[in-house]
Amino acid sequence: MTQAVDWVAIAPPLSLVIAALTALLVDAAWPRVRVLAGLVSLTGVVVALGFTMSGRNEARSTFCFADGELPTSCSWLVDDVTSAWWLIMLIATALVVLLLWTAAVSGELPAGELHFLVLASAAGALAVAAAQDLITLLVAMETVSLPAFALVGLRRVDRRGAEAALKFFITSVVATALSLLGISMVYGATGSVAAGPVAASIASGNAVTPVIGVGMVLTVVALGFKVAAVPFQAWVPDTYVGAPIPVAGYLSVVSKAAGLAGLTIVLVRFLATYVDTWSTMVGVAAALTMTVGNLGALRQRHIVRLLAWSSVAQAGYLLVPLAAGGLPEDVTALQAYALMYAVVNLTAFAAALAVASWGKSDLADCMGLARSHPWIGGSLAFALLCLAGLPPGVVGLVAKVAIFRSAVDGDLIWLAVIVGVNVAIGLVYYLRFLAVLVQPAASDVAGPAGVGAHDEDDHWAGLDRAVPWSTEFVVGITLAAAVVLSVFPGLLFSAIS
Amino acid sequence: MTTVEVLFVLMGVLAVGSALLVALSTNLVHCALWLVVTLGALAGCYLLLAAEFVAWVQVLIYMGAVVVLLLFALMLTRAPIGRVPDLDGPNRVVAAIAGLATTAMLVVSFVAGFRGTRITVGADDIGSTHAVGATIFGSWVLPFELVSVVLLAALVGAIVLSRRRAAEVAD
Amino acid sequence: MIGGLEIIIGLPLLGALVVLLLSRRDTVAAWVGVAFGSATLAGSVVPWAATIDDGGGYVARSDTAWIRALDVRWALGLDRLSAPLVVLTALLSWCCLVALVRRAPSCGARPGLVALVLVLESASIGTFAALDLIVFFVFFELVLIPMWFVIADWGDEHDPVGRRRAATRFLVTTVTGSALMLVGFLLLHARTGTFDVTELPSRAGQIGAGTQVLVAVLFLLGFGAKVPVWPLHFWLPDAHSKAPTVGSVLLAGVLLKLGTYGLLRFWADVPDGAVRVAPYLGALGVVGIVYGALACLAQTDLKRLIAYSSVGHMGFVLLAISTLTEQGRLAANFANVAHGIITALLFFVVGAVKDRVGTTELAGIGRALYARAPHLGAAFGFAAVASLGLPGLAGFWGEMLSMLAAYSPAAALSRSTYVVFMVVAGLGAVLTTAYFVVAIRRVCQGVPDRDAVGDVGRDEWVAWSPLVASVLALGIFPVIMLWSGSASALAGRR
Amino acid sequence: MPLLFPLVVSSALFGIGVYVVLARRHAVLVLMGVELMLNAVNLNLVAFDAWWHDTFDSGQVLALFVIAIAAAEIGLGLAIVLVVFRTHRHVDVDNLRELADRDAPDPERVAGASS
Amino acid sequence: MTLLVLLSLLIAAILSVAVGHRDDRLPPLLGVVGAMVAWIGSVLIGVQQWGMGATAASTGTGQVATGGLPISVTLRVDQLSASMLVLATSVALLVQVYSVAYLRGDPRYPSYTAFVGVFTAAMALVVMADDLFVLLVGWEVMGVCSYVLISHHWELEPARSGAVKAFVMTRLGDIGLLFGFFVLGKAAGTYRISEIVAAARGGEITGHEATAAALLVLCGVVGKSAQFPLHSWLPDAMPGPTPISALIHAATMVAAGVFLVARLLPVFGLSDVAMNLLAAIACLTMVGSALFALAADDLKRVLAWSTVSQLAYMFAALSLGGYAAGVEHLLSHGAFKALLFLAAGSVIHAVGTQRLDGMGGLRTSMPVTFVTMTIGFAALAGLPPFVGFFSKDAVLGVAADQAANGSAARGWLVLVVGVLVAGLTSAYATRAWLMTFFGPRRGHATDVAPHESSWLMLGPMVVLAGLSVVGGAAVVKPGFLGVDAEGAHLPVVLVSLAVALGGAAVTVVQWQRLRRADPALALGRLRPVLAREARYDDLVGALVVRPTGWAARFTRLNEEDVVETYVGGVDSSGQWAARLVRWTHNGNAQRYVTAVVIGAVAVAVVIGVVGPS
């Protein structure tokens, strides 16, 4: 009884894997033409994106196993929700590939391996969003993680990169181990690892208590770890700071999206019956996550670390729709927010990369950036506003509205209020950053307008190496996307549904 | 108590005991060796639970490959061969509490959930290489393929991390 | 679909862009700002006039789908409640823009400030015009960042740290409030299934009593932080005293109105909840009146004094709102507009004083402004007298009608409670008189103790005269807003 | 055989693994702790598989995959440990603090200083 | 015609401010012309109302919506308003003329004359308004004009503080008035005065409502007309230019209170409580202020207290329902008090001080002033044949009537006190007269010999003196104001005249006995108490002003310390929480792992215990 394979359903991750292998081989074959690997991987992502878009609007499942007695269940399901996750992940992956472009082309990082690892990890992320049994899910999660470890440590001569990789690795594998323990307990309690049977077993009350409860909690640990939910958030700042900035961006978006997708599947498909229990659990986690994230960011001066903490806080917001019960509308809200977050967060990381390319990493180094480099600084400012959820970053605001709406519709008024307070706390540091960006140089305050511009150029003189075109490109398209979405926020939702 | 049960208890005690030594030994190499004992005892457990194929894979991969890797790593990091006094961090007490708490939680929930439940082993050939192979390629193709990606990625990752490049060599 | 309101909202935005593009040419940019401001002002009168002709419904409506997934429509329109506020916004923005033509801000570049004023104008008009809760919310939030920049970057040139703190405090408080407000909006949507402002009042019956109270409280907190309702006023004095003149003008004249407008508009959607919460709002309003007046009485900084006086005046508006009667709504709306104009004038005058003597501390200003700059002193005296509610000037009708409304609140409210509120508010009005005459005595009168300063310039007269004229016009001809149809139009809301 | 036998053994192993991961400083030892945890899980899986007589052998299959994944993890993990050793000359997990969140921020400097 | 009165004054005022600075001569001219036009208009109205027997006429139909009862922007002229209008515009015209000389060369003349014009217009609005709120507009505009005019010399501390005191005190009363209007409107279902009066007459207002309304209106009246307990602002308003004092005391401001009570007398009539209170306030004020006048050592202050006392007469009459008597006295008082102030201004202008101890012996150097002021004092003292005699007699007559039949207690109270105060009045009038014009020149005042004022000042005085002489005939004319004046009560007349003469005589005797020193010295230890006005200001200060100041300072401290502390506390607690979060992320990966494990286990335990089962 060999399983039938629906190739259309697995085409996007498959194209990523193929592109990954091709990139590796191409780079091995023509090591001097470093740009090849990037082109291959970009092509792979675009092809995957094409498959995803063309395969929308029809649910496909494959890798099914039937045994007569039990209802048919499948390991792989591609429906609207999955497609939307794929869309988000693939867009983000494409952006990350572009962000890595220069590092690969310049030889700073090994091109073939780099692109291979990114695409392999992304393929895992895609698989997470489609997985319908815990084994596939777990393996897919590991497919996301393992290449990511290597990516974080890719700058081998860098002490901080190595340290970051080790920390990321250790915390991650412990989380995975806990998750595995949880899976084993769910399996023990229900006798299955597939969504349908597990859910049926729980619904019929046959699942063994309290093993199923403990198993449920432990199962989501690795997912929570990916999402960076409290108490699994501690690795985030250290890892992001130590990793190459595009990789940090990858972790903050694609890896996080994989965690959210997995979490959605586990909670909604497997544990729907326990919605009351886990909704409180996720709600508390969301509240803690956003609070800790915002507090952690409050006094940061290091750009990437600030963005890291901010991504923890954003993870808290992202958890809210799940806490609200993970109904289809909630998932829509979650994905809309995730898409918004993916776009603007990568803008921010791209800008951070640009700043880092001048050898700067401190907030104070960004003084007046929006004036001296309107393109980079302005985009960063806009991204911060979107993250803060304040107009003119309307897209961020609308996404937050969707989050709030989930909470309110799910009768989680308390959580909505906490989100509100956190949005306000978050403002403090986003605005501090923003203020630095637009701050005129000291001379501008004293002198008449127009004179200051020259002094600012001096301020940046000597460090003003050209920003790589790929980085500028990423900044440009993400900014354009954010602006367009701000004017027509409806597109945000139509993109994912 | 049947023979199988007695054997299982013995194997279990062996596994736990050697694991404890892994946890407490002050000699790095000893730790690795005690780990081998634990893994071996567990392989025995698998056998007793009729998971034949898993047991052999355990022996081959874990005892054969992983432990060797660990020993190599110990050597490459120039780990001292003898006793190392400060092998434990200041976190010991917390770690002990965490470990005990974990065990306690698990035991309590297992006892509450499975008290009096018995396994009947050996009725069918569930754990045989053939059966497992058939299910893997019959029902679990997808994760299997994914695992191959994982392994490849790990391989590439390990290589890319370990490879010395020209620039570094020049340093 | 581009309707008239889109034009009125879009013009200032377009103006802001043009100004930014012209930012190298300082004065030209300022003139361009004035041009766009004038066009907007002219445009804003049209729908206002239409509301008077119209039977009391919404005019200049536009309605297209905006965010389908969230059930949000791009719905705009004005009625007799919002149209005057739009005109007020356009008028005050125009005055600010004119004021910027000849006088550059004391720190920061002028084109940026001009652009921000235009953005603020656009966003405020959008807030008043929004007929969809989420569109309202978006515009409501859009106001914040520009104002934050105005305070943080163009504020008090002597205190960069303090002005940023004040700006952030303002922003954080308001955002917290608006988040609560949003929760209220979403609760409304959850129970009624619509964000449509025109629909919601008729669907109040679908909302349970407990939810209504909750929503009413959320609105009270949310809008209250903006107004600000008494214990939430802590951000106001700092924000005002650190803001540049145009910032203070718009903050007091327009932004505070967003809060009272919101309460007026949206409490109608939860009548049962509003009835429960209204007495508390009334009490807070009255406390604000007395507290603000007392704070003014011992104040040594003129700008802070005016800021606290706003707390008091907003107290009257809140008292009127809390009566839940048509009379109260009318009173609140009138008081809104009147306070906007008068306080704007006060801030302009105090800003002019600051331009000349470099401080707003009473001790630093010195005495006898009547002698040192007669017109400036007279302008301050006029604005102060208008502010203290002299009959025949705009401020009176708002205060009087508020107290009148409190004399006969809605049937479901305790009349005796409101009569007590009315009496306390009256005493607050006396205290208001007291602190203004004390301030006049301290600043305008006396023996000149230092040099004369430049008197009001022609450009300043141009910027201020519409305000003076409005104060007189509304005072002498209150029918402009209180014609016989205005009450019935507001009645149509329920 | 009582199902609890393997479960208790695995619980103990997992707890010991946790202790090793949390208490041991040497990175390789920490990896050993992780192995202990994974093996505990495997024992669970195998035991449950035997108990359920699972047609799909989910437990055993997962156990196999875990072994594979564990091998991959160890391989990659050891590579990372070697990189750390190469850059730090030690592999004490609790002694890698360069990325600690400890730079004392000074908001004034950020807000007010000119460069 | 009604609009002509208002607009001429307002337009003149606006022009004066707008173009007055171009030429020194313009503002006086504008002021006089404006007042003249208004006066002509008023006289025409008066002729229509009294002479041609026209019925009350309303103009204006505008309505201001309030969401409840509408406010009607309506003016209505009847005989009472016509009389008041003529009085106000006449005095205003005379004051404008007088000021031309009195304030010649004052740089603030434009605003001065403008405010006098607005002041007059506001009074005209008060008397012509047919809607409570329109009346209120005039009422309060008067208040602010008086504030500005009192502080005309704002470089002088007494002027500043007097103005503040006047404004705040009257405003305190006005709030009561406003509430009274609310009550009236609600009770009568309209804000139109004519309809309210009709409703009161028709019994549509219950006694309960009437009491509440009347008491609240009384607050405003007491404030505006400077009756106890809000009486103390009027004497302190004396630092204002003297013509302004004449205007305030004779024809506007303080008269408005009496006018309002007269207007709303039907409402007051429904409430015995209000009438009793009014009578009590009137009597108390009458006596107290007369005593203060007796001891005051500032000429204008004497006159100010005399105003308070005379107003109390009017209120006393009104409290007995004596509408005609009250109004008569108001009009006659308007004439002679204006005269007195203008004459006092002339004196002050000549000697450069307001203090009685800086005057003396001026009858030779200022003959015209002497004669006119003597007439004024005689009228004040109620000596025949001057106008004050007749009107005061009318008041006492009403009291006697009521004492005989009607509200006996109230009647007797007013009668006794009225007669007593008649004596006090003539005593202080005589004292002031003596101290100003007789005896030696006192004090250290100007070295320049006092001289008679210009005819621009004397002219108005002469006119008013003439009115004071012949006015008696007018006010006792039967049918005046549409009410039948009562015939003189001979016994009351004789008694009060005797008492008045006695008061004057005692004063003269003391003057002689003390060798032409202040007769008030005869009061002995009572004098300082009275001169300090029974320390009423200190009492108010201790009970109201200082506690308010404390409250204000407390509020400010609360804002600066408490609120700031809490807000700052939120701020810094956030910062500390941020530090805590950062401290927990100390870079130790094992600590992170510990958090992962313990967090997971803890949640699992919780769920396992309480969770899905």
Side-chain angles (χ1 to χ4, degrees), chain A residues 268-344:
Chain A
V268 176
R269 296 262 163 76
F270 287 78
L271 301 169
T273 311
Y274 292 147
V275 62
D276 291 340
T277 310
W278 57 253
S279 117
T280 312
M281 187 174 95
V282 177
V284 171
L288 284 175
T289 306
M290 61 183 87
T291 310
V292 167
N294 279 325
L295 288 176
L298 208 52
R299 294 174 65 86
Q300 290 302 341
R301 267 177 28 203
H302 190 282
I303 298 171
V304 176
R305 195 183 289 278
L306 188 144
L307 289 176
W309 279 113
S310 127
S311 81
V312 172
Q314 300 286 339
Y317 304 142
L318 283 162
L319 287 174
V320 170
L322 289 179
L327 304 174
E329 309 89 86
D330 298 327
V331 176
T332 305
L334 166 61
Q335 293 183 326
Y337 197 95
L339 179 55
M340 179 283 294
Y341 169 76
V343 171
V344 300

Side-chain angles (χ1 to χ4, degrees), chain C residues 169 233-234 291 294-295 297-298 300 308 327 330 370-371 388-391 396-397 400-401 403-404 407-408 415 422-423 426 430-431 433 437 440-441 445-447 478-479 482-484 487, chain E residues 63-68 71 133 136-137 140-141 144 147 151 154-155 157 160-161 164 167-168 171-172 175 178-179 182-183 186 191 548 551-553 555-556 558-559 563-564 567-568 571:
Chain C
R169 213 172 251 186
H233 68 278
F234 51 84
Y291 188 91
L294 286 174
L297 212 49
T300 58
Y308 279 113
Q327 202 163 15
L330 202 57
Y370 281 161
L388 62 80
L390 181 77
F396 165 72
W397 297 104
M400 187 277 275
L401 290 175
M403 289 191 272
L404 182 57
Y407 184 62
S408 37
R415 176 130 188 274
M422 176 187 80
V423 171
V430 175
L431 287 173
T433 308
V437 291
I440 290 176
R441 177 177 168 182
Q445 304 178 337
V447 183
V479 278
L482 301 175
W483 81 102
S484 55
Chain E
Q63 286 209 329
V64 176
T66 67
I71 296 169
F133 290 105
L136 189 68
V137 170
E140 298 236 15
V141 170
V144 80
Y147 161 74
S151 64
W154 39 252
E155 62 279 356
E157 167 57 26
R160 295 199 296 269
S161 57
V164 167
F167 198 33
V168 175
R171 201 109 168 117
L172 183 61
I175 291 297
L178 181 67
F179 296 160
F182 292 172
V183 177
K186 197 171 169 84
Y191 293 123
T548 310
R553 274 192 293 280
T555 309
R556 183 160 168 232
N558 183 54
E559 278 293 301
V563 173
E564 192 55 39
V567 176
D571 224 358

Side-chain angles (χ1 to χ4, degrees), chain B:
Chain B
M1 214 182 238
T2 64
T3 324
V4 174
E5 285 173 27
V6 171
L7 278 175
F8 190 92
V9 170
L10 284 177
M11 285 296 177
V13 169
L14 182 60
V16 173
S18 49
L20 271 175
L21 288 168
V22 173
L24 300 174
S25 167
T26 51
N27 187 320
L28 279 167
V29 181
H30 290 182
C31 287
L33 296 176
W34 284 121
L35 182 64
V36 174
V37 176
T38 307
L39 298 176
L42 278 173
C45 290
Y46 297 155
L47 269 180
L48 291 171
L49 289 168
E52 207 181 299
F53 184 59
V54 179
W56 296 130
V57 171
Q58 169 92 352
V59 170
L60 283 174
I61 294 187
Y62 258 123
M63 297 170 68
V66 170
V67 174
V68 173
L69 260 180
L70 286 172
L71 285 170
F72 265 108
L74 284 179
M75 290 195 309
L76 285 173
T77 55
R78 295 173 205 168
I81 303 299
R83 288 185 66 234
V84 181
D86 60 344
L87 214 48
D88 289 351
N91 210 16
R92 267 170 78 171
V93 178
V94 181
I97 293 170
L100 282 175
T102 312
T103 307
M105 175 199 72
L106 290 172
V107 169
V108 167
S109 65
F110 285 143
V111 168
F114 297 109
R115 188 173 32 205
T117 315
R118 296 186 71 86
I119 312 174
T120 49
V121 186
D124 41 21
D125 67 343
I126 264 179
S128 73
T129 312
H130 173 76
V132 172
T135 43
I136 284 185
F137 293 105
S139 305
W140 302 106
V141 180
L142 178 67
F144 183 81
E145 295 300 335
L146 270 175
V147 165
S148 67
V149 176
V150 171
L151 287 171
L152 182 60
L155 187 67
V156 172
I159 290 171
V160 83
L161 287 179
S162 320
R163 188 177 62 188
R164 284 178 166 256
R165 280 189 304 167
E168 290 163 44
V169 175
D171 291 345

